[in-house]
Amino acid sequence: MAYTYDDQNIFAKILRGEIPNDTVRETEHSLAFRDIQPQAPEHVLVIPKGAYVTADDFAARASDAEIADFWRCFATICADLGVTPDTGAGYRIISNAGHDGVQEVPHFHLHILAGRPLGRMLNS
Ligand code: AMP
């Protein structure tokens, strides 16, 4: 079954410029901005500009160019934040999907969390 994309979701509004965001990086196919309720000293959201609901939707339907752009954008942000484990203290990426994943915004996004020890992966 195909996903239905809700173009009234908050990230669609950010992409259309209808509400502001704290941009970290923008590329041809991706946008990264700071989470409005940060859970760590560094909390950046990376989103594709295309209308994809979840990580699996993006991976299944996005073009090779969109996918490469997204992951290269992610890598550049990690390097710019200085959190890559080769030289920095590391990070965690999370992408919540659907009900059990407790996804609030139905536009695919990757959370990059860093800047403090993040504890174990899940609390429950
Ligand atoms: P989730 O869909 O559960 O992965 O979470 C959505 C995330 O989007 C949460 O961490 C929110 O704090 C964040 N968020 C919601 N609205 C905004 C906004 N206008 N600007 C930046 N981040 C937002």
Side-chain angles (χ1 to χ4, degrees):
M1 202 172 86
Y3 286 101
T4 301
Y5 182 79
D6 170 15
D7 67 5
Q8 293 306 306
N9 78 75
I10 196 119
F11 295 168
K13 292 179 179 177
I14 285 176
L15 286 167
R16 289 195 295 268
E18 293 169 10
I19 59 171
N21 73 92
D22 185 359
T23 299
V24 170
R25 183 171 180 78
E26 182 168 9
T27 62
E28 181 180 2
H29 296 296
S30 309
L31 179 68
F33 50 91
R34 293 201 170 274
D35 196 291
I36 205 166
Q37 287 188 290
Q39 304 295 309
E42 305 285 6
H43 189 169
V44 174
L45 302 173
V46 190
I47 69 173
K49 291 182 177 176
Y52 303 102
V53 179
T54 59
D56 62 279
D57 187 29
F58 179 70
R61 292 196 301 111
S63 67
D64 292 358
E66 290 176 295
I67 291 170
D69 180 289
F70 181 87
W71 288 106
R72 293 268 153 71
C73 181
F74 153 70
T76 301
I77 293 163
C78 290
D80 288 351
L81 294 176
V83 299
T84 59
D86 54 349
T87 56
Y91 60 87
R92 178 171 296 154
I93 56 175
I94 296 173
S95 185
N96 299 314
H99 177 271
D100 283 4
V102 195
Q103 181 179 10
E104 292 172 9
V105 181
H107 180 113
F108 167 49
H109 51 282
L110 194 67
H111 296 256
I112 304 174
L113 297 146
R116 65 168 172 82
L118 295 164
R120 291 188 62 83
M121 188 164 64
L122 297 175
N123 291 323
S124 59

